[in-house]
Amino acid sequence: MEQYKGQTIVELEHINKSFPGVKALDDVHFHLRSGEVMALLGENGAGKSTLMKVLSGVYQKDSGTIRIFGETVENMNPKRAQEMGVAIIHQELNMCQHLTVAENMFLGREKKKGLVLSQREMNVEAGKILKSLAIDLDPTTMVGSLKVSMQQMVEIAKALSTNARILIMDEPTSALTEKEIEEMFRIIRQLRDEGKGIVYISHRLEELQHIVDRVTIMRDGRYITEGNFADMDMSTIIANMVGREIKEKFPRVHCEKGKKIFEVKHLNAGRMVRDVSFSSYEGEILGFAGLMGAGRTETTRAIFGVDPKESGQFFLDGKEIKINKPMDAIRQGVVLAPEDRKRDGLCTKLSIRSNIELPNLDISSNRVGVVNRRKVTQMVAKAKENFSIKMPNDEVDAGSLSGGNQQKLVVGKWLARDSRVVIFDEPTRGIDVAAKVEIYNLMNQLKQQGISVIFVSSEMPEVLGIADHIIVMCDGRITGELDIGEATQEKILELATRFENKIATGAAGA
């Protein structure tokens, strides 16, 4: 790899790729050097993933030139890409949970002695690669027992086991804690210093300053610009991504605080929800902050009836309501936009119309179950108009929408029934900067309508930028509340680690 240090190792010139009715890539250029981290940036739908799938052989280009280490490649496919040193680490991990770390690393390339698998040889080789990355992990450990962060590390080790020299990382930090992100950055820097070329795709623009050398920006399937990260400021990057200047990253709307809408008293559900009590009011957005594993998502699931509660009470507009399953919550007007919208919030293979219709059959059907098509059409039109959902028509699959429009659809289907409480769990995860602003505007819109808005976020600047009142959790408990006027990152972090600090203090005292 030393002979290529600093040299251009990937050249994509005049790349075009079309799907039925859509030109995904239009005369795109992309260059990667050895020993650099290149950030590939753009909004959802900009063509980043399509371009990387062309480079890794998942898609065949319609036209254009691919050169890797100076060699022109005409018929790229995944096997050829791997042979040439290209590896892609997807946002959705592709690990076999029931296999060991070593077995996952050599899946499809198993080491054998005759016709028999050589577990020992695979374990030894996997151990060497893990050690080279300073990852303290036993190769015989079952992958299903590992945290997401460690599974990410195994994916990187797996790529290196194929002698990958070009690594494509798609949103590698989206599900990691700050500590885990720093460990990921350490490994990325190490790989860069060893001469690997790394393509880094992320919507978390604040991360770029820590690891990125250069930037390539795409928009609407086209190449826009590239340059040294040090020569670009964030406003320039964002303007090139979205085609306009975004003046306000966190739009805030002031409303007078009104009456109490929703109250939770002494909620207990498993180990991660212990004696949780809080209230939300008209005219405010209530934000839940905390580190990964604090119990915030588990709290939303217990409120919505996904997970059974052991004890606790819910009050809506002063009256106690019973929620034992999601349908109870929906009928009472308490709805959830879940963290994994593709898996839990939408039927991505069904049409936009069906996604709005299905959860509302109880109010769009008559007593014998005949659906009022006109009523459903009105629901779809209301969702589209109120939340500016961008769609060619309501018969396209929900999965074809961008991340921001999918999030709007999740909320739109619930507000078709005049819900009173909307809970967002990580509402902007995996969506671009412009779509994030649209989601914030949506939350502000609901707040202005007198709807109770509650949201969970792992991004502290987001909580500070959007919430009016902040609840902080640690180890399944509420450790503090802050009005936005007094909230700072330092105060939130102190509350978010309060239980951990007590444990550490107790251990030191012992």
Side-chain angles (χ1 to χ4, degrees), residues 110-118:
E110 292 81 1
K111 295 185 179 293
K112 299 177 182 179
K113 283 188 175 179
L115 297 175
V116 181
L117 284 180
S118 178

Side-chain angles (χ1 to χ4, degrees), residues 406-419:
Q406 286 181 10
Q407 191 67 279
K408 291 179 187 178
L409 178 57
V410 171
V411 178
K413 73 179 184 181
W414 292 138
L415 295 188
R417 57 192 307 128
D418 299 323
S419 300

